[in-house]
Amino acid sequence: MADSPTSPLPAPAALPERAGVDAAAFAAEIEPGYRPVVLRGLARDWPAVAAARTAAPAFAAYLAGFDRGAPVEAFAGPPDIQGRYFYGADMQGFNFQRIRGRIGEALQILLQMQDAPNPTGFYIGAAPIPEALPGFDQANPMPLFAQGSAVPRAWIGNRSTVTTHFDLSDNIAVVVAGRRRFTLFPPEQLGNLYVGPLDHTMAGQPASMVSLAEPDLERFPRFREAMAAAMSAELEPGDAIYIPTLWWHHVESLAPLNMLVNYWVDPPLGSDSPFDAMIHSILAVAALPPARRAAWRAFYDTYVFQTDRHPAEHLPPEHRGILAEQTPGLRERMRNFVKRGISRH
């Protein structure tokens, strides 16, 4: 008998965990696996983590010591959203406002709201640390790669929920203060997550329309399958998590004052965006009649996904053209080819 819409959802499995990971182990054992991993204690020696273990005012003072007045953007939402930043009821806008200010000012607002029973939601997102908190990254270095390899970004706020979304780069996120609960879904669960608009988003990437706290299984019945594949973990100050690109993640900040530092690591082939390529494919292919879409799928499977074999293995290497091993020069030639094609329409 099938589960009813009111039966309990499957509980997420535990995310894999590692401790004592250094740069060599990360590069050799974790990153190539394309699987999320909790990195327990990765940043336990950060001075910021030590400050976070003290009283909140002392931690706020530690952060304010790096503030040089650069403006940052924050989300502010009324108490009734309960920290879940999302679309408005008509989906034309959102249930929060964007405001600008300094991190020192934001910290004072957060301290004043700490003991409020139902506070306003307040959340600074993706603030680039070299600009917003200069010197913080030197005092609290990422141990997995050289400084400057990725821009550290600060996420500071009170209790909040960032709804299920993905990143276009690999993500290493370090919990500095408070606690965070991460719930992850593998990329193949895309069809069960009921994703919102691709081009009208809260903060860049499209997000699931399903609330993990109160999932509407009559409206979103396949979400049960997504939850059967979900994994989750709670992270304490000093813990980190590696989230590969396209892995969907739902993030809950569980304390009155939370801080996370994340690093988006670009894919090895550089800045060319598979997401942009997908949007162009939607424009060019998605509205074709089914038989023609199926024909183009065979082309994509052969030339893009290479599901069977390399499509030019029967040709000498010097005659493989854009199917040859990619070099910077060949990639630039391919970009120009695409640009010329787009400019003709």
Side-chain angles (χ1 to χ4, degrees), residues 101-123:
R102 293 174 48 177
I103 281 187
E105 297 168 341
L107 289 166
Q108 290 306 308
I109 292 172
L110 290 167
L111 289 175
Q112 293 166 11
M113 293 193 295
Q114 267 203 112
D115 298 323
N118 191 21
T120 295
F122 195 83
Y123 192 73

Side-chain angles (χ1 to χ4, degrees), residues 67-84:
D67 182 16
R68 299 295 179 268
V72 295
E73 184 178 75
F75 292 177
D80 61 5
I81 74 169
Q82 297 182 320
R84 183 180 184 241

Side-chain angles (χ1 to χ4, degrees), residues 46 55 57 92 110 112 141 150 163 191 208 218 244 266 279-280 283 292:
W46 279 12
Q92 297 301 309
L110 290 167
Q112 293 166 11
T163 196
S208 170
E218 291 189 356
D266 288 332
I279 298 300
H280 188 242
L283 170 66
R292 296 174 186 269

Side-chain angles (χ1 to χ4, degrees), residues 71-76 85 96-100 103 106 110 122-129 132 152-158 160 162 180 202-203 258 260-262 264:
V72 295
E73 184 178 75
F75 292 177
Y85 302 97
F96 58 88
Q97 293 182 325
R98 289 179 167 87
I99 59 176
R100 303 279 287 178
I103 281 187
L110 290 167
F122 195 83
Y123 192 73
I124 296 168
I129 283 178
R153 296 178 181 273
W155 307 72
I156 304 170
N158 53 11
S160 62
V162 177
R180 268 178 164 78
M202 288 159 280
N258 300 272
L260 179 139
V261 172
N262 92 298
W264 282 312

Side-chain angles (χ1 to χ4, degrees), residues 56-293:
F59 175 64
Y62 174 83
L63 290 184
F66 296 100
D67 182 16
R68 299 295 179 268
V72 295
E73 184 178 75
F75 292 177
D80 61 5
I81 74 169
Q82 297 182 320
R84 183 180 184 241
Y85 302 97
F86 200 61
Y87 293 99
D90 61 1
M91 288 194 62
Q92 297 301 309
F94 306 103
N95 66 359
F96 58 88
Q97 293 182 325
R98 289 179 167 87
I99 59 176
R100 303 279 287 178
R102 293 174 48 177
I103 281 187
E105 297 168 341
L107 289 166
Q108 290 306 308
I109 292 172
L110 290 167
L111 289 175
Q112 293 166 11
M113 293 193 295
Q114 267 203 112
D115 298 323
N118 191 21
T120 295
F122 195 83
Y123 192 73
I124 296 168
I129 283 178
E131 302 168 17
L133 295 170
F136 179 96
D137 49 338
Q138 285 88 0
N140 302 275
M142 163 52 68
L144 298 184
F145 41 76
Q147 187 171 330
S149 300
V151 176
R153 296 178 181 273
W155 307 72
I156 304 170
N158 53 11
R159 290 184 177 90
S160 62
T161 297
V162 177
T163 196
T164 308
H165 66 287
F166 67 89
D167 295 322
L168 290 174
S169 301
D170 285 1
N171 186 1
I172 299 174
V174 180
V175 174
V176 178
R179 294 180 299 118
R180 268 178 164 78
R181 180 186 298 121
F182 289 80
T183 303
L184 273 66
F185 304 87
E188 58 265 26
Q189 290 302 315
L190 166 64
N192 297 325
L193 290 171
Y194 297 92
V195 176
L198 298 181
D199 56 344
H200 176 49
T201 67
M202 288 159 280
Q205 305 309 327
S208 170
M209 300 298 295
V210 185
S211 166
L212 257 67
E214 297 179 330
D216 183 346
L217 295 179
E218 291 189 356
R219 183 181 177 192
F220 307 120
R222 295 195 311 275
F223 183 67
R224 183 179 299 280
E225 297 177 42
M227 283 302 298
M231 295 182 288
S232 185
E234 286 194 17
L235 275 62
E236 302 285 340
D239 293 336
I241 184 171
Y242 165 63
I243 305 174
T245 179
L246 301 187
W247 275 77
W248 295 83
H249 47 287
H250 177 275
V251 188
E252 299 165 85
S253 302
L254 304 173
L257 178 59
N258 300 272
M259 180 179 182
L260 179 139
V261 172
N262 92 298
Y263 306 78
W264 282 312
V265 183
D266 288 332
L269 289 179
S271 60
D272 296 282
S273 170
F275 185 83
D276 291 344
M278 184 187 75
I279 298 300
H280 188 242
S281 294
I282 293 172
L283 170 66
V285 177
L288 293 175
R292 296 174 186 269
R293 283 205 311 273

Side-chain angles (χ1 to χ4, degrees), residues 296-341:
W296 276 111
R297 180 174 182 172
F299 274 70
Y300 276 60
D301 284 345
T302 298
Y303 288 105
V304 179
F305 301 112
Q306 300 182 12
T307 52
D308 185 17
R309 62 179 67 88
H310 192 282
E313 66 178 12
H314 57 287
L315 296 173
E318 66 271 19
H319 294 301
R320 291 181 179 178
I322 63 172
L323 296 176
E325 182 177 351
Q326 293 187 13
T327 64
L330 178 57
R331 292 177 65 80
E332 185 61 27
R333 176 182 160 196
M334 293 166 72
R335 290 187 197 99
N336 291 333
F337 184 88
V338 171
K339 290 175 184 175
R340 287 195 298 271

